[in-house]
Amino acid sequence: MFASDLLRDRVALVTGGGSGIGLSIVEQYLALGAKVAMVSRNPERLAEATAALKERGFDNVMGVQADVRNYEQVSEAVRAVVHRFGSLDILVNNAAGNFFCPTAAMSSNAWKTVVDIDLNGTFHGCRAAYEHLDASSAGGCIINIITMQALSGWPGAAHAAAAKAGILSLTRTLAVEWGPDNIRVNAISPGPIGDTEGARRIYEERGRAEQERSRVALGRFGKKQEVANAAAFLASDLASFVTGENLIVDGGRWLKYVSEK
Ligand code: HXC
Ligand code: NAP
């Protein structure tokens, strides 16, 4: 649907790019002409995704192993991407951890683990990428993947809700701090997206898929491609005056939820 050269010669790094929504964003960026790096902890997952993408004719793709909780590893990943592709224009902080756990049963380490991956990992990505995004001739772009439960709260996932709320705050802070450097910083809030680990853990495994579907105004789960479309728009020059925004891609789920009481 977009012009096929929309992201030509842009270099993107997508954390958690080896699976789910992140992998769809990687595929979309490659199809639009970008050079793309995927970051994940799992080298087998990266090798498999890289091989599958190369098979489809995408040569400008690389996998980099790193744990986003570790700043040195994230910095090293950014250096490897710039070494291979020559610059870094787009950072997508998509890596996340989540599991259903009532707060009264949640250990301190369980809380810390999710906050570390989601919130600290996003800070690490932004901080490590800053100098390269600042130097980008196209203008730098950061996209943080969150959820509207960051605003509503999330019974059974307090760790993820709090971490994503922190990411929204960081998004807005950096949009203002780094605006003068021509770096745009935005968030995307997907609703429930089918065929993902997130939906499997939070809804399907718990027998809540039908209930969740009925809470979406459009009456269905979203597709990974529909989130990737939003990520393409925000990364492109079509969004050149958009920063500090939270683009909701949830089929009207949050509006239906608040209007239903
Ligand atoms: C209670 C749990 C738990 C569970 C782990 N813990 N799973 N507690 N219920 N189901 C606790 C552990 O007991 C431990 O605490 C602490 O959390 C850390 O667990 P580890 O297994 O050591 O952590 P680690 O190996 O670092 O793995 C991180 C992880 C794992 C988050 C726990 O699930 C993971 O790697 N997830 C990545 C993939 C993922 O989550 N994808 C979904 C993203 S979807 P103790 O106290 O025992 O030491 C999303 C939004 C979905 O984010 C939106 C809605 C659809
Ligand atoms: P997913 O496939 O499990 O994606 C999460 C990715 O993060 C995995 O590729 C994982 O790779 C990576 N990751 C986790 N911990 C990491 C760490 N410490 N360091 C580096 N990488 C790490 O799940 P998804 O459902 O597609 O979720 C993607 C994003 O969308 C998340 O931000 C999630 O919160 C958000 N979201 C999803 C939904 C939904 O319906 N699915 C709804 C709203 C928001 P490794 O395990 O290989 O490291």
Side-chain angles (χ1 to χ4, degrees), residues 11 62 76-88 132:
V11 177
M62 70 188 286
E76 191 46 52
V78 167
R79 276 193 289 274
V81 174
V82 174
H83 179 74
R84 162 91 189 267
F85 293 135
S87 62
L88 179 61
H132 304 289

Side-chain angles (χ1 to χ4, degrees), residues 8 26 38 43 54 62 74 101 133 145 155 167 180 229 253:
R8 189 176 56 201
V26 168
M38 304 172 278
K54 290 201 165 163
M62 70 188 286
V74 175
C101 182
L133 298 176
I145 308 298
I167 297 171
N229 288 341
R253 197 273 189 205

Side-chain angles (χ1 to χ4, degrees), residues 41 69 96-101 107 109-110 113 117 154 197-199 201-203:
R41 294 165 296 183
R69 291 170 283 195
N98 199 2
F99 46 81
F100 179 83
C101 182
S107 73
N109 192 39
T113 296
I117 299 172
W154 199 351
E197 181 63 19
R201 287 180 182 216
I202 304 296
Y203 304 119

Side-chain angles (χ1 to χ4, degrees), residues 40-64:
S40 125
R41 294 165 296 183
N42 182 335
E44 289 84 37
R45 168 174 271 172
L46 289 171
E48 205 175 298
T50 305
L53 290 165
K54 290 201 165 163
E55 192 129 307
R56 287 170 52 193
F58 296 123
D59 288 325
N60 287 319
V61 62
M62 70 188 286
V64 191

Side-chain angles (χ1 to χ4, degrees), residues 16 19-22 45 94-101 118 145-147 149 154 156-157 159-160 164 190-209 212-213 221-222 224 227:
S19 68
I21 290 170
R45 168 174 271 172
N94 162 83
N98 199 2
F99 46 81
F100 179 83
C101 182
D118 294 22
I145 308 298
I146 58 167
T147 164
Q149 276 98 332
W154 199 351
H159 44 11
K164 298 289 194 184
I193 304 300
D195 190 25
T196 63
E197 181 63 19
R200 192 182 67 72
R201 287 180 182 216
I202 304 296
Y203 304 119
E204 287 154 11
E205 260 180 9
R206 301 176 52 240
R208 301 293 178 97
E212 179 62 14
R213 201 165 281 127
F221 278 14
K224 290 176 281 190
V227 182

